[in-house]
Amino acid sequence: MAILDILTYPDPRLHKVAAPVDEVNDDIRQLVRDMAETMYDAPGIGLAATQVDVHKQVIVMDLSEDKSALQVFINPRIIKKCGSQDYDEGCLSVPGFYETVTRAAEITVEALDEHGKPFTLEAEGLLAVCIQHEMDHLLGKVFVEYLSGLKQNRIKNKLKKRQRERA
């Protein structure tokens, strides 16, 4: 297993659209293991392959306190949305920033698990928010893009400054 590098906004690779996974094979399962290790190490509750510069439709997520409930979504597709909710979101690719985003309150998602088996999941609350947030990454969208242009620029400039200071 390996800890992967997480891309930081405004890296242009975060805007690349992920391709569907043709076959859930050993390479994909290794990617899932590496992504899970990276997410837990960060620490975070969700990670899309796009964030580690792998442009395949793979998401890992674990909302449990003890990191015992890893969920894997390969080629996820939202088939139903209902209601709306505001939630303070953060992102491993936008470290240190939390902003309120409006998303669907309830969703139904279809995906494959790490064994290639199809499943359907109904989600609400934080789980629904996380799924939608990570699926946005697969579409090349970062949560700050839901914010005003002023807030986006403020975050972008602060992150660029941090990167310059570390270099």
Side-chain angles (χ1 to χ4, degrees):
M1 300 220 296
I3 304 288
L4 307 171
D5 290 331
I6 299 173
L7 301 177
T8 303
Y9 181 80
D11 191 307
R13 294 172 290 180
L14 287 168
H15 299 292
K16 192 170 179 184
V17 176
V21 172
D22 295 326
E23 177 190 1
V24 180
N25 55 27
D26 288 342
D27 289 342
I28 295 297
R29 284 186 280 279
Q30 184 62 53
L31 174 63
V32 165
R33 288 190 294 273
D34 291 345
M35 285 175 60
E37 186 176 2
T38 301
M39 174 187 69
Y40 290 135
D41 181 69
I45 59 172
L47 186 68
T50 300
Q51 293 175 270
V52 293
D53 201 21
V54 176
H55 303 282
K56 296 182 188 286
Q57 293 180 12
V58 179
I59 293 169
V60 295
M61 203 174 294
D62 189 340
L63 306 186
S64 69
E65 290 291 323
D66 62 356
K67 301 177 180 177
S68 65
L70 182 68
Q71 293 177 283
V72 177
F73 300 83
I74 298 171
N75 298 340
R77 205 170 59 103
I78 293 175
I79 58 171
K80 183 179 171 191
K81 289 183 177 186
C82 189
S84 71
Q85 64 180 330
D86 291 339
Y87 218 95
D88 256 6
E89 294 187 24
C91 181
L92 294 176
S93 291
V94 190
F97 292 91
Y98 298 87
E99 295 287 344
T100 302
V101 176
T102 303
R103 297 192 185 269
E106 299 172 22
I107 62 168
T108 303
V109 62
E110 291 179 341
L112 303 174
D113 67 14
E114 67 270 27
H115 306 291
K117 183 180 174 212
F119 68 93
T120 302
L121 176 72
E122 293 181 7
E124 61 185 19
L126 179 59
L127 180 58
V129 168
C130 283
I131 291 169
Q132 292 171 85
H133 175 111
E134 300 306 336
M135 285 183 69
D136 273 354
H137 280 299
L138 300 180
L139 298 172
K141 189 169 186 173
V142 181
F143 88 98
V144 296
E145 292 167 36
Y146 287 96
L147 308 175
S148 70
L150 184 65
K151 281 187 177 180
Q152 284 182 49
N153 282 331
R154 189 188 82 226
I155 291 169
K156 189 183 299 184
N157 290 335
K158 284 184 179 181
L159 288 172
K160 282 181 178 178
K161 183 179 177 188
R162 273 191 216 160
Q163 289 169 353
R164 282 193 307 272
E165 288 169 355
R166 276 191 235 134

